[in-house]
Amino acid sequence: MIPAPWVRALRWHSRRLREGYRWRDLPSLAAARLRRLSPQEWEEHLNLRETEAQVEVMRTTPRTLFLEITGRCPIECLMCARRFRNWTYGDLSEGIFEALSRVFPRVGLVVLGGFGEPLVARSFDRYLDRLSSLGARVALQTSGYRLTEERAERLVSGGLRQLHISIDSPEEETYQSIRPRVSFSDVQDRIRQIVRLKREAGTPWPMVQVVFVAMRRNIEQLPAMVDLTAGLGADSLVVQYMVAHAEEVRGESLFYHQDLANRALGAAETRARELGVNIDLPDRFRAVPREVRSHCADPWRVMFVRWNGEVRPCCYAPNVTMGRLDERAFWPIWNSPGYRELRRRVNSPDPPDYCLTCTAGRTRGVDDEAAHVVLASTT
């Protein structure tokens, strides 16, 4: 007869191995358990140490894994890179999804998003249920297209952690000029519905984050966008600069309207403070000395998986592939020579060429035109 404590220990070890932890992780995990840390907390603490030390070979998984369950999208948003690139599109296969199934519970957050609209994928509900059954923490990036009342209910009842939903204007005419095939009123109705369902269920999930892509045609409406966010009951408003992928939209880039952008950002910040709205704003223009570079942590904390299994280091490097999940497993890709070189160089004086056109502006900063204009003909 095996003593009960041994049985519990064996079950605990077996469960950790099924979740994708390796034998060498178990002593550290066991020590963390004695300190009343969950495996997820252990993973986060160790990942922070690995990121700070800028190690080349990782023991931990990404804190954010973007999973593009479809590359298809019918909306044709004004600023979308899809309009100007000859990419191929399809849906994520079951095989690629299952190749990551042992990793999903360990990842900090699995974000259903990418260059397609997740809600048009026929597999959306099935993958969401599967992720939930695996114990993954899930977020959804969407324009709100096909976000029905029934689906909104499932997002709340299914335990979605974050909902990132795009609304680029508080005015319908401007909104429709940016996202022509999405109903302005329906998107707002679905947000209100989700906020109401959360309140009735007594849960904070999903946290509702309104995303505003700032450009010339909508930047002066940003303070009013703060009011709309408050009125919807959303948890926060995130503002991002538009990236121009073609000459026809170059004039919309706020790189060419810097004083206007700075004034609007300042006014929005003031309005958010008055209303108690959480707001995440991009850097102001000419606010940080050009020689001051920010630190990029993405090679240690982020992975982007496209619908065809291609693994990319982030969504800012659309043409850089670290490997394919239909050819190799997760760990050989996550610690591949490409990833290891990126970790060596990304914060050095000699970063990879694709980092120099990062639209997050981490390498060259917000005052560099390359962070705002990435023409399809040059990538």
Side-chain angles (χ1 to χ4, degrees), residues 151-172:
R151 204 163 239 170
E153 290 179 1
R154 290 192 74 251
L155 295 182
V156 178
S157 63
L160 187 77
R161 290 301 185 95
Q162 297 178 16
L163 174 64
H164 307 162
I165 188 162
S166 297
I167 304 181
D168 306 301
S169 173
E171 299 178 6
E172 183 169 11

Side-chain angles (χ1 to χ4, degrees), residues 14-41:
S14 177
R15 181 179 178 185
R16 298 289 84 82
L17 293 171
R18 288 197 306 272
E19 290 173 345
Y21 295 97
R22 291 170 286 184
W23 280 105
R24 70 171 186 164
D25 296 326
L26 298 186
S28 179
L29 275 166
R33 186 187 186 193
L34 292 175
R35 302 197 309 272
R36 299 186 182 278
L37 293 178
S38 68
Q40 292 79 18
E41 290 170 324

Side-chain angles (χ1 to χ4, degrees), residues 1 36 52 82 84 90-91 126 129 132 146 170 202 221 225 230 295-296 298 303 323 325 334 342 360 370 375:
M1 184 81 176
R36 299 186 182 278
E52 290 171 0
R82 301 165 50 92
F84 312 109
D91 296 333
R126 183 171 71 255
D129 290 343
S132 178
R146 292 189 182 176
Q221 301 170 357
M225 191 67 216
H295 178 89
C296 181
D298 282 7
M303 176 182 280
L325 287 163
W334 184 226
L342 175 60
L375 300 181

Side-chain angles (χ1 to χ4, degrees), residues 40-187:
Q40 292 79 18
E41 290 170 324
W42 173 89
E43 188 105 29
E44 179 62 31
H45 290 177
L46 181 55
N47 182 272
L48 285 172
R49 293 202 298 272
E50 290 181 322
T51 303
E52 290 171 0
Q54 300 191 47
V55 302
E56 290 183 28
V57 178
M58 302 292 291
R59 289 175 61 189
T60 56
T61 60
R63 299 299 78 213
T64 304
L65 189 153
F66 291 92
L67 186 65
E68 187 180 64
I69 61 173
T70 183
R72 296 179 294 110
C73 182
I75 302 172
E76 296 187 1
C77 297
L78 173 75
M79 62 291 187
C80 185
R82 301 165 50 92
R83 296 179 57 220
F84 312 109
R85 285 175 167 78
N86 295 319
W87 289 338
T88 56
Y89 303 106
D91 296 333
L92 187 80
S93 71
E94 294 279 355
I96 292 171
F97 184 92
E98 289 303 321
L100 290 167
S101 60
R102 294 182 69 191
V103 176
F104 288 140
R106 293 185 57 179
V107 169
L109 191 68
V110 179
V111 181
L112 301 178
F115 295 104
E117 168 52 67
L119 294 178
V120 307
R122 289 183 290 272
S123 57
F124 175 81
D125 295 313
R126 183 171 71 255
Y127 284 154
L128 183 62
D129 290 343
R130 179 79 172 113
L131 286 165
S132 178
S133 70
L134 290 168
R137 293 154 294 282
V138 185
L140 170 63
Q141 290 181 332
T142 180
S143 64
Y145 185 82
R146 292 189 182 176
L147 182 55
T148 62
E149 292 184 28
E150 294 76 16
R151 204 163 239 170
E153 290 179 1
R154 290 192 74 251
L155 295 182
V156 178
S157 63
L160 187 77
R161 290 301 185 95
Q162 297 178 16
L163 174 64
H164 307 162
I165 188 162
S166 297
I167 304 181
D168 306 301
S169 173
E171 299 178 6
E172 183 169 11
E173 183 178 357
T174 304
Y175 175 89
Q176 297 293 176
S177 74
I178 298 170
R179 298 185 186 269
R181 297 182 181 178
V182 187
S183 169
F184 183 63
S185 60
D186 285 354
V187 169

